[in-house]
Amino acid sequence: VQLQASGGGLVQSGGSLRLSCTASGSIFRINAMGWYRQAPGKQRELVASITTGGNTNYADSVKGRFTISRDNAKNTGYLQMNSLKPEDTAVYYCNFRREFGRVVPGTPIYWGQGTLVTVSS
């Protein structure tokens, strides 16, 4: 298993969760990391991404509430989710690729298994 995601669960509106995604070192070291989510009946969307150098980007819907980070010593990335809302309910997927925002020819894209986040009102 190259990617292992965890941390989802059921939380009340306003609560917090932290998602984790551990990758093999060969994947983690050279790739940017992102978190996508897919709600029922909706398309998968990019929530946040972080480069190998630590530069971050967020979807407008989560700015100020979610924080993406990576621990290079542990080959693990995180998504800290605060002030959760019912509309954040989705399956969350970690993703590693050379760059977010453009296709880099010849480079692989890696997906973790999804982890379900449910926010009750």
Side-chain angles (χ1 to χ4, degrees):
V1 177
Q2 292 183 306
L3 298 182
Q4 187 71 35
S6 62
L10 173 64
V11 64
Q12 287 189 330
S13 181
S16 298
L17 283 174
R18 189 177 79 158
L19 306 182
S20 301
C21 183
T22 300
S24 63
S26 61
I27 293 172
F28 194 89
R29 281 191 298 270
I30 64 172
N31 286 288
M33 186 191 77
W35 288 93
Y36 285 78
R37 68 184 180 188
Q38 187 166 22
K42 294 189 176 181
Q43 288 189 329
R44 191 173 295 189
E45 64 171 341
L46 179 63
V47 173
S49 64
I50 184 168
T51 67
T52 54
N55 294 319
T56 58
N57 275 292
Y58 298 93
D60 288 342
S61 59
V62 306
K63 279 181 182 176
R65 300 188 299 121
F66 290 11
T67 302
I68 189 171
S69 62
R70 58 191 295 159
D71 186 333
N72 294 331
K74 296 181 179 179
N75 293 338
T76 299
Y78 305 96
L79 185 68
Q80 177 66 45
M81 305 184 294
N82 299 328
S83 302
L84 282 162
K85 306 175 181 180
E87 51 263 43
D88 295 319
T89 295
V91 178
Y92 285 72
Y93 301 88
C94 61
N95 177 270
F96 285 82
R97 62 182 69 199
R98 197 59 54 87
E99 290 186 29
F100 286 85
R102 73 180 188 101
V103 175
V104 180
T107 61
I109 296 174
Y110 304 92
W111 289 94
Q113 88 283 9
T115 184
L116 177 62
V117 171
T118 304
V119 184
S120 63
S121 57

